[in-house]
Amino acid sequence: MKDSIYLPVDMPTLDRTFWIDKDGKLYMVYCYEWLQNWNGTIENMELKPNLSGTIGKGKVLFRASDAPWSLEKDENGNDIPNKITDGAYLFQTKTGQLGMIWTSWIYDVYTQGVAYSKAAPSMVSGFRRKTRLHRLITVMECCSAH
């Protein structure tokens, strides 16, 4: 890779994944750490066809607080949006829809949610947030913070 970095040094990121869009464009999808922006995001950045660097800047797909199911309690016990995004994984459904599973918290339970592309099965259309997936007891119990 000829670029010294894919992402800005002052931007803590995690859980990067690679995606080839329906138009053949290459993307890196990643979480921008909530510790710096106080509302974690899942973003994408287009990569050069030869993977030697990036094209343009990252684009926000969605924020942790956009998900209606991702909640925590404030110091007064009120529900507030959670700020954590983790582990984005992209997939294409049998009908061609672009989907993404990702994780956050519902209070003290680490939970997986799903988002789908707004329009065409493309990275550039953005995502709409869905409710959390049904609880997968065998998977989620091993990973929850009990």
Side-chain angles (χ1 to χ4, degrees), residues 101 103 109-113 132-144:
I101 56 173
T103 51
V109 179
Y110 199 54
T111 304
Q112 187 175 66
R132 66 183 168 94
L133 295 176
H134 65 282
R135 190 164 180 203
L136 303 171
I137 305 271
T138 55
V139 174
M140 299 314 296
E141 287 297 324
C142 75
C143 303
S144 63

Side-chain angles (χ1 to χ4, degrees), residues 61-62 66 97-98 100 102 114-119 125-131:
L61 298 174
F62 62 90
D66 291 340
Q97 179 110 33
L98 177 61
M100 178 190 306
W102 64 288
V114 64
Y116 291 98
S117 58
K118 288 181 179 176
S125 66
F127 284 79
R128 57 187 158 85
R129 279 67 56 196
K130 288 288 194 179
T131 57

Side-chain angles (χ1 to χ4, degrees), residues 37-119:
N37 68 16
W38 291 103
N39 189 7
T41 57
I42 295 183
E43 304 184 11
N44 72 14
M45 185 174 290
E46 188 175 348
L47 302 174
K48 293 178 182 177
N50 64 3
L51 298 177
S52 65
T54 59
I55 298 172
K57 295 186 176 194
K59 296 179 179 98
V60 174
L61 298 174
F62 62 90
R63 291 171 171 73
S65 63
D66 291 340
W69 57 266
S70 182
L71 300 168
E72 61 182 301
K73 298 280 187 188
D74 68 13
E75 61 276 355
N76 298 318
N78 300 309
D79 287 350
I80 58 171
N82 199 292
K83 54 193 159 285
I84 297 173
T85 53
D86 281 335
Y89 175 80
L90 291 103
F91 61 93
Q92 189 168 9
T93 68
K94 289 181 181 179
T95 62
Q97 179 110 33
L98 177 61
M100 178 190 306
I101 56 173
W102 64 288
T103 51
S104 190
W105 294 88
I106 300 176
Y107 309 115
D108 65 343
V109 179
Y110 199 54
T111 304
Q112 187 175 66
V114 64
Y116 291 98
S117 58
K118 288 181 179 176

